[in-house]
Amino acid sequence: MERLIYLDNAATTKTAPEVVEAMLPYFTEHFGNPSSIYGFAAANKEVITRQREIIADKLGAEPNEIYFTAGGTESDNWAIIAAAEAYEAKGRHIITSKIEHHAVLHTCEYLEKRGYEVTYLDVGEDGLLDPAEVEKAIRPDTILVSIMYANNEIGTIQPIREIGEITHAHGVLFHTDAVQAFAQIPISVEECHIDMLSASGHKLNGPKGIGFLYIRKGVKIRSFIHGGAQERKRRAGTENVPGIVGLGKAVEMAASTMEERTRKESELRDYLISRIEKEIPYCRLNGDRAKRLPNNVNFSFQFIEGESLLIMLDMKGICASSGSACTSGSLDPSHVLLAIGLPHEIAHGSLRMTLGADTTREDVDYTVDCLKDIVAQLRSMSPLYEDFVKKQEEEK
Amino acid sequence: MYTEKVMDHFQHPRNVGEIEGASGVGTVGNAKCGDIMRIYLDIDENQIIRDVKFKTFGCGAAVATSSMATELVKGKNIQEAMKVTNKAVMEALDGLPPVKVHCSLLAEEAIHAALWDYAQKNGIEIEGLEKPKSDIHEDEEEEDY
């Protein structure tokens, strides 16, 4: 392939060469188990602590409030299930939203089967949650509110601070899945009254298979993975030292470049959005225009189906993703797109493009040029478009 | 994920388009599920399918199965066209991933729906042909979301 334009940074990102370089010695010379007594291995304990400090600093947290996990999904599972078990005596009611990642939704469904009650809050057409709805849903037996910081499909940034103030005032635990938001937008666990926060390494040019859960001091959730005494006895298993080092390096880099990188990304994002809106008819931007991640673009194109669109983009060297059923492995299109009120056939024709630090204006121009042709080509063979055109002619 | 033949028929679909005053037109599928196929047949007085065109809203497999189905029925008489099953379409494409088998069923149904329309218009009966079950509007009413 001559050209590869990677516009799927919400799926995963390229591990930065500096990150790989930082990790490599921890596979080879510094391979020791951090729990061992002898010096060269025990030194890895210090290394891990340093990474904890780096991460805690970016969230305004204490280092001993950061617990390393195998990634965002484990962090979400741990936070929700362990909180449900720990606070069972108070009640069995959990509040979340309809647009959460499956790591949260399927965990909530798991708890429902075990006697917990879950309220799934609606979002508006813009994908935003109304904090007043959270307050209304809180009951005396509510033990946890879990609302994602920013949505992985439509990029919408939720009013986390307002929600945190509400949960804080009601004495209810607040968890947020910040997998997409962490290192993309500034986050303060203090200001937002966040009790638990999930994040992942591979979304910020770090390695896969590593993430963390922030647990505020005083939140009494227990271990989810049982075994040794690692992570202050709350997450057993020999530490993924290379992964932790890579995550620390990635966080350090992402934080130091955040301002400039996200400014550039949001400019390109808005340019991409405006070109599509000007040049491709019958499309719709999904998610709020302003309260969205700097790198997220999500459109629905009427009369066409997402998987076809993705294959044709792939043939032009463009990598993107879709909320169509065919890409989800089920008959239903994305739950997020349905939750913002899109009819099924419009949700099937969605396209998500998530920019990265290396995305250029030329990449965006090339993508829109290809997209215009592909959408036109797919419409020319769509019976839905044929019906639409005939109906328009009749109305004339 | 797809065979070379599927990719070929997706990238270069045969017989895309419409036929003005077609002998039979059949549309099957449901926009909610993400697949709609429409097949146009031009059938002469000897019941030979002289021309066939299609339009499809759907995934790569939906486009490829429509394209292959049109190739398989073109030039055949209507009895032969009845023998073009979803299995024949799949085999001709060197197979489909399991989650995409329904696309080949839809292609078979689309051909049948177009033949049914032709039979209705001409007041004839085609052996083995039943009223197509998959109609967009019927489906929309039946399915409860």
Side-chain angles (χ1 to χ4, degrees):
Chain A
M1 185 154 330
E2 325 76 51
R3 189 166 184 168
L4 187 79
I5 297 178
Y6 186 72
L7 298 179
D8 206 14
N9 286 282
T12 193
T13 55
K14 177 160 79 182
T15 313
E18 296 89 335
V19 170
V20 177
E21 203 186 321
M23 291 170 73
L24 285 176
Y26 293 91
F27 290 104
T28 53
E29 67 255 49
H30 307 306
F31 65 88
N33 188 323
S35 301
S36 301
I37 287 293
Y38 34 87
F40 99 93
N44 283 349
K45 223 31 173 204
E46 294 306 310
V47 172
I48 293 173
T49 303
R50 267 207 302 284
Q51 314 311 313
R52 228 188 282 286
E53 286 165 0
I54 291 170
I55 294 166
D57 178 55
K58 309 306 176 225
L59 291 170
E62 293 297 323
N64 61 11
E65 294 175 312
I66 304 297
Y67 297 84
F68 292 110
T69 66
T73 295
E74 184 193 319
S75 299
D76 285 341
N77 272 261
W78 181 15
I80 295 168
I81 293 176
E85 287 173 351
Y87 293 83
E88 199 174 22
K90 186 195 166 196
R92 302 190 122 214
H93 179 234
I94 294 167
I95 298 169
T96 187
S97 84
K98 286 189 178 163
I99 64 164
E100 297 300 309
H101 190 275
H102 284 138
V104 168
L105 287 180
H106 289 169
T107 303
C108 286
E109 286 163 21
Y110 167 88
L111 286 171
E112 279 182 296
K113 288 189 191 123
R114 277 150 190 81
Y116 289 82
E117 205 183 319
V118 182
T119 301
Y120 299 92
L121 295 174
D122 283 312
V123 295
E125 266 176 35
D126 49 11
L128 290 169
L129 192 70
D130 178 0
E133 294 294 316
V134 177
E135 184 145 39
K136 263 194 259 167
I138 293 178
R139 316 189 308 210
D141 62 340
T142 304
I143 50 173
L144 175 70
V145 171
S146 178
I147 300 293
M148 74 199 318
Y149 212 110
N151 185 267
N152 50 312
E153 291 188 40
I154 56 174
T156 322
I157 301 168
Q158 298 299 343
I160 291 299
R161 182 196 297 243
E162 288 82 347
I163 296 168
E165 279 165 7
I166 291 165
T167 54
H168 185 65
H170 286 81
V172 174
L173 279 187
F174 180 31
H175 166 251
T176 185
D177 173 343
V179 167
Q180 296 291 337
F182 181 58
Q184 283 249 48
I185 47 177
I187 297 176
S188 161
V189 291
E190 266 327 301
E191 281 175 23
C192 297
H193 298 287
I194 294 165
D195 296 310
M196 293 183 283
L197 177 145
S198 307
S200 170
H202 74 107
K203 308 289 188 187
L204 42 120
N205 302 102
K208 294 171 182 62
I210 188 76
F212 67 86
L213 180 65
Y214 156 81
I215 308 174
R216 178 181 293 278
K217 192 165 179 274
V219 172
K220 302 205 178 320
I221 72 167
R222 288 207 177 83
S223 180
F224 185 57
I225 307 281
H226 306 284
Q230 292 88 356
E231 301 295 286
R232 306 176 71 226
K233 295 187 187 164
R234 279 174 129 175
R235 203 285 188 180
T238 298
E239 296 89 339
N240 175 359
V241 184
I244 292 169
V245 169
L247 174 60
K249 184 71 186 172
V251 169
E252 197 172 54
M253 287 172 64
S256 70
T257 60
M258 177 153 37
E259 210 178 305
E260 202 200 323
R261 171 171 46 92
T262 56
R263 185 178 45 76
K264 187 193 142 213
E265 280 178 1
S266 34
E267 273 174 29
L268 275 181
R269 172 198 69 190
D270 295 341
Y271 175 61
L272 176 55
I273 291 173
S274 76
R275 269 206 70 186
I276 291 175
E277 286 183 328
K278 267 188 219 131
E279 299 176 39
I280 304 181
Y282 314 117
C283 68
R284 173 195 199 276
L285 177 71
N286 296 316
D288 190 85
R289 212 167 271 271
K291 289 172 188 155
R292 78 187 297 139
L293 289 173
N295 72 342
N296 176 289
V297 175
N298 188 312
F299 271 96
S300 282
F301 298 98
Q302 259 184 286
F303 318 116
I304 64 173
E305 194 276 335
E307 192 209 78
S308 294
L309 188 56
L310 292 186
I311 300 175
M312 293 183 92
L313 284 169
D314 181 32
M315 292 185 309
K316 299 281 183 191
I318 301 165
C319 310
S321 73
S322 167
S324 103
C326 282
T327 56
S328 75
S330 76
L331 273 183
D332 280 327
S334 140
H335 65 285
V336 176
L337 298 177
L338 296 180
I340 61 170
L342 295 194
H344 277 64
E345 61 269 32
I346 310 287
H348 282 298
S350 77
L351 177 70
R352 177 187 75 178
M353 292 172 281
T354 41
L355 317 180
D358 326 331
T359 312
T360 63
R361 201 177 165 92
E362 289 72 39
D363 292 341
V364 170
D365 281 327
Y366 173 77
T367 301
V368 179
D369 292 344
C370 292
L371 194 57
K372 267 166 73 174
D373 291 347
I374 292 169
V375 170
Q377 194 185 336
L378 287 173
R379 280 180 180 160
S380 76
M381 53 195 280
S382 165
L384 294 175
Y385 189 61
E386 179 187 317
D387 292 347
F388 172 76
V389 171
K390 280 184 182 154
K391 204 174 158 202
Q392 272 195 327
E393 280 166 4
E394 277 168 23
E395 280 167 8
K396 275 179 200 164
Chain B
M1 163 171 163
Y2 290 134
T3 66
E4 269 178 41
K5 278 220 177 123
V6 173
M7 285 305 287
D8 176 42
H9 276 262
F10 173 69
Q11 291 177 53
H12 312 286
R14 280 59 146 182
N15 310 310
V16 175
E18 299 164 44
I19 297 175
E20 288 261 341
S23 322
V25 184
T27 304
V28 297
N30 185 318
K32 283 182 174 175
C33 299
D35 293 303
I36 295 182
M37 286 183 198
R38 178 172 296 161
I39 296 226
Y40 294 85
L41 296 174
D42 178 20
I43 300 173
D44 69 11
E45 61 282 7
N46 299 317
Q47 298 195 329
I48 306 280
I49 298 171
R50 271 193 315 218
D51 198 10
V52 49
K53 296 276 184 209
F54 82 90
K55 286 212 174 170
T56 290
F57 162 85
C59 62
V63 172
T65 53
S66 321
S67 167
M68 182 52 88
T70 58
E71 283 285 274
L72 292 177
V73 300
K74 203 172 183 174
K76 302 262 170 71
N77 67 39
I78 58 176
Q79 279 76 28
E80 287 166 336
M82 281 296 295
K83 289 179 195 142
V84 175
T85 59
N86 81 299
K87 213 167 150 244
V89 173
M90 277 213 306
E91 275 167 14
L93 288 168
D94 294 337
L96 285 174
V99 292
K100 302 290 186 179
V101 172
H102 73 278
C103 293
S104 64
L105 280 165
L106 215 54
E108 180 189 318
E109 279 173 26
I111 298 282
H112 287 184
L115 285 172
W116 178 265
D117 182 46
Y118 163 75
Q120 292 292 104
K121 280 179 181 159
N122 293 280
I124 57 168
E125 257 186 48
I126 300 174
E127 203 190 323
L129 183 63
E130 286 169 18
K131 188 176 188 302
K133 54 178 181 293
S134 194
D135 177 278
I136 305 172
H137 304 291
E138 274 175 16
D139 273 8
E140 264 176 6
E141 283 161 18
E142 277 168 18
E143 293 195 30
D144 180 26
Y145 283 95

